[in-house]
Amino acid sequence: MSTKLPIIVVTGFTREVRTVERPGIVAIAGGGAPAQLEQALDAAATVGARGIVSYGLTGGLAEGLRIGDWIVGDRLTGAIDHTCDTAWRDAIAAALPGARVGAFFADGRMIDTVAEKRALGERHGALAVDMESHIAAKVARAHGLPFAIVRIVSDEVGHLLPHAITVSMRPDGGFDREAMRRSLADDPDQMRDVVQTMAQFATGFRGLRRGARLLGDGLACPV
């Protein structure tokens, strides 16, 4: 039996957690609740870990990225500037054929216009955005742990998540179907975009499961 410490995996939705669950993994969903996420990550890191990786769906900030493309972080900008562990980055990229390596942006906000997505990508030289990586990086830095980001594109730079999707994440990372229904009742014209977005998410979740298998038990962590 392995005596190695676990890898801490940070996601947004609990459904992302399920794509990577296995022995040696401590997966924690952020659920759009940063203080709660930081507390949970700090507790897990205090017990002991080999490293922290931000894993899950991501929104593209650069032209040319398509649904299902893998992005591996080399640095993070936004709420915190942090360089990803180079050995872990390279091992992840080698395990995921076609993966793009580049910067992520994260400051906890839900980016609410296509114009801002494009502007953030250009201003920061970032390929993608998520809502958890800055918390994960903060905790990794505090505990002196290697940090990595590997995420799969579930919406392109020219696509804006509809309101019914943005209100559907519960603080525990679950999916709030009632909030989605209320939003759709208020604005039924969202339906087509919601259906498209859910199909994109489904593609992303399938990719996350395949990616977890390709990365192996330690998610390619070289430590």
Side-chain angles (χ1 to χ4, degrees), residues 10-17 28-32 55-57 131-132 151 169-174:
V10 184
T11 74
F13 284 106
T14 52
R15 187 170 175 184
E16 291 163 296
V17 167
I28 301 171
Y55 187 82
L57 306 180
M131 294 180 62
E132 297 83 33
R151 287 181 171 254
M169 182 186 285
R170 298 200 309 256
D172 64 357

Side-chain angles (χ1 to χ4, degrees), residues 126-200:
L127 294 179
V129 60
D130 70 78
M131 294 180 62
E132 297 83 33
S133 287
H134 60 304
I135 304 297
K138 180 180 179 181
V139 175
R141 179 180 289 178
H143 288 267
L145 293 172
F147 173 67
I149 311 173
V150 53
R151 287 181 171 254
I152 196 166
V153 175
S154 59
D155 63 288
E156 299 170 4
V157 67
H159 177 254
L160 187 66
L161 296 179
H163 182 264
I165 296 292
T166 64
V167 297
S168 67
M169 182 186 285
R170 298 200 309 256
D172 64 357
F175 192 75
D176 192 336
R177 296 185 183 279
E178 183 56 37
M180 174 180 276
R181 283 194 289 267
R182 288 195 300 268
S183 179
L184 283 168
D186 290 340
D187 182 9
D189 290 343
Q190 298 178 86
M191 179 58 76
R192 182 175 180 178
D193 202 15
V194 167
V195 170
Q196 176 188 342
T197 302
M198 294 298 285
Q200 293 172 185

